[in-house]
Amino acid sequence: MKKVIVLILALILLLSVSGCDTKTPEQQIAEYETLFNQYRADNGKEPLIFTDDLNKCAALRLEEIKVNFSHDSAGDITSHVAENLVKGIRNNKEALLCWIDSPIHELNLLSNNVYTGYAIGKGYAVQLFSAYMTINGTAQLPEGYEWPD
């Protein structure tokens, strides 16, 4: 029995040291949403709304950047949507801190967008931002609106 307890404790220690996280994607998003919107509040900004559509698109981008770490999406996942990407992180807090420490990424964090989506996994994280509701990552613009050149 003592050997089993030691083995379990060793496994727990190994998982915590290796950076493995057993949280579900939904739990990861909820944890990040709290951290992120607290950061916005601390900087006098309203919270952003995390949408299922942008969360799904962020998860698709996450898989893309694991293969090719680039702002160039293979699909049209992020049409008219801003994105923050990071690699080499172990958790939500590290992802947020990396973006806070980068002035251009921090602009997205503190932007006047309304909607956002997030995904994290295997050392990578993606956050998408949009001023408009999205369908499959494409901003749904008001009727008659055209993007400025």
Side-chain angles (χ1 to χ4, degrees):
M1 182 67 179
K2 189 175 181 181
K3 287 183 180 182
V4 172
I5 293 172
V6 170
L7 183 60
I8 290 171
L9 290 174
L11 182 60
I12 291 170
L13 179 62
L14 177 64
L15 288 173
S16 66
V17 170
S18 70
C20 291
D21 204 329
T22 58
K23 296 179 184 126
T24 67
E26 294 80 14
Q27 290 169 324
Q28 291 282 11
I29 292 167
E31 178 182 89
Y32 182 78
E33 182 175 359
T34 300
L35 291 168
F36 170 71
N37 279 327
Q38 182 59 56
Y39 175 72
R40 284 183 59 87
D42 291 348
N43 285 277
K45 295 291 189 173
E46 293 292 320
L48 294 191
I49 299 164
F50 283 70
T51 69
D52 288 342
D53 184 64
L54 286 175
N55 288 337
K56 288 175 189 173
C57 291
L60 290 172
R61 283 294 288 135
L62 184 71
E63 294 308 311
E64 285 185 345
I65 67 170
K66 288 177 186 175
V67 176
N68 178 25
F69 190 78
S70 164
H71 283 286
D72 296 325
S73 175
D76 199 20
I77 295 172
T78 56
S79 178
H80 305 306
V81 175
E83 70 179 358
N84 283 356
L85 309 176
V86 67
K87 65 180 179 176
I89 49 94
R90 293 174 295 192
N91 56 50
N92 292 314
K93 189 173 183 178
E94 283 185 12
L96 182 60
L97 289 174
C98 282
W99 292 326
I100 289 169
D101 288 341
S102 167
I104 192 129
H105 291 98
E106 187 181 38
L107 286 173
N108 283 337
L109 297 175
L110 297 176
S111 70
N112 290 325
N113 285 304
V114 178
Y115 304 102
T116 192
Y118 179 76
I120 186 172
K122 304 226 186 250
Y124 296 85
V126 174
Q127 187 169 8
L128 304 176
F129 304 86
S130 180
Y132 303 101
M133 285 296 294
T134 60
I135 296 176
N136 298 322
T138 300
Q140 301 303 294
L141 305 177
E143 192 170 325
Y145 182 88
E146 293 186 24
W147 288 103
D149 290 330

